[in-house]
Amino acid sequence: MLLLISPINHDEAIESIEGGADIIDVKNPKEGSLGANFPWVIKDIRKLTPKDKLVSSTIGDVPFKPGTISLAALGAYYSGADYIKVGLYGTKNYDEALELMEKVVKTVKDESPETIVVAAGYADAERVGAVSPWDIPKVARDSGSDLAMLDTAVKDGKTLFDFMSMDDLEKWVHEAKEYGLNTALAGSVKKEQLKPLYDLKCDVVGIRGAACIDGDRNSGHIDRTAVKALKDYIKSFD
């Protein structure tokens, strides 16, 4: 299971890299769960990140505007992102989510077939009126995305596990893998919750808060010691 850590700036990216994160995920929590950062921040972080590590970029908790979001995805690609994560916040159902992701996939894959496109939904979708988390694997498959992801839309202390039971998550991961997709799970995940996710054979776990020295994703800052502790803990499962 790969550890994805989400820095917001140059200094946090260095802490993430030195701590041993597998994927450096550029985001901006001020703009939401999957808030987009600026092109120059992505470029800077891609430049300082070793070539053998992937750089991911969120492009927002997006509205149902396929053209706008396709341009955002292209901007993330040209800024240096190897992973492009689309938060399907403003899509209300399967059809809207599929239409949006199809356009993003075409945009990105026309430029770079190897770039990874992530269809990201929310375990707490009902709280914000977004597409059901149960539709995300199908949306990812049918749009040609590479990876299906679940996060939480509202960051209020509740975690992924407050909205999806272990049985739910096992079913969700299994379905995505049946479709030939990789999977990622996030949502205020705590250190002690990593082993259950590992046991599900989840491919990527996404973390910000637990990698911050005070555990706060908004006011805290990522610390290499916290990142290393998470990475070492995951290694201990092997």
Side-chain angles (χ1 to χ4, degrees):
M1 184 170 71
L2 298 177
L3 176 63
L4 178 149
I5 299 292
S6 300
I8 63 173
N9 56 34
H10 182 101
D11 291 344
E12 285 197 341
I14 291 174
E15 294 296 304
S16 302
I17 293 163
E18 293 299 321
D22 300 298
I23 302 169
I24 310 302
D25 177 54
V26 189
K27 73 164 51 172
N28 177 11
K30 290 181 179 179
E31 294 194 5
S33 173
L34 295 171
N37 215 315
F38 299 98
W40 55 87
V41 176
I42 302 169
K43 288 179 181 178
D44 174 59
I45 291 176
R46 175 66 275 182
K47 190 177 298 183
L48 66 88
T49 301
K51 294 189 184 301
D52 62 345
K53 286 186 185 290
L54 295 174
V55 170
S56 167
S57 174
T58 57
I59 62 170
D61 295 317
V62 307
F64 178 51
K65 294 186 176 181
T68 299
I69 306 313
S70 294
L71 282 171
L74 192 64
Y77 166 70
Y78 276 109
S79 298
D82 306 296
Y83 267 60
I84 296 173
K85 290 164 57 180
V86 184
L88 295 168
Y89 189 97
T91 59
K92 305 302 182 186
N93 52 50
Y94 166 86
D95 290 334
E96 289 186 357
L98 176 62
E99 181 180 347
L100 190 147
M101 288 307 307
E102 283 180 331
K103 301 303 188 292
V104 169
V105 168
K106 174 174 171 50
T107 298
V108 173
K109 300 296 186 178
D110 280 355
E111 297 295 321
S112 173
E114 66 273 13
T115 296
I116 297 164
V117 179
V118 181
Y122 307 93
D124 58 342
E126 287 189 358
R127 294 208 283 178
V128 297
V131 58
S132 168
W134 295 105
D135 285 332
I136 298 303
K138 297 181 187 68
V139 168
R141 176 196 64 186
D142 296 346
S143 65
S145 300
D146 303 288
L147 192 148
M149 179 175 184
L150 280 184
D151 203 325
T152 50
V154 182
K155 301 299 184 181
D156 59 357
K158 293 185 177 180
T159 77
L160 176 70
F161 294 89
D162 288 306
F163 304 98
M164 304 281 279
S165 69
M166 282 301 299
D167 286 344
D168 288 337
L169 290 170
E170 183 176 21
K171 180 180 176 182
W172 191 93
V173 169
H174 178 76
E175 180 179 350
K177 288 188 174 294
E178 285 281 296
Y179 297 153
L181 298 164
N182 284 332
T183 59
L185 296 172
S188 301
V189 173
K190 311 300 183 188
K191 181 179 178 181
E192 60 270 19
Q193 296 169 330
L194 290 173
K195 183 61 163 63
L197 297 184
Y198 178 88
D199 291 341
L200 291 176
K201 296 182 169 53
C202 170
D203 298 290
V204 179
V205 60
I207 286 179
R208 174 168 173 80
C212 291
I213 199 161
D214 60 0
D216 190 318
R217 76 186 295 271
N218 295 311
S219 63
H221 63 87
I222 290 173
D223 177 79
R224 69 186 65 189
T225 304
V227 176
K228 185 176 186 303
L230 294 168
K231 182 62 181 176
D232 288 347
Y233 188 50
I234 291 171
K235 285 181 178 177
S236 74
F237 306 152
D238 294 332

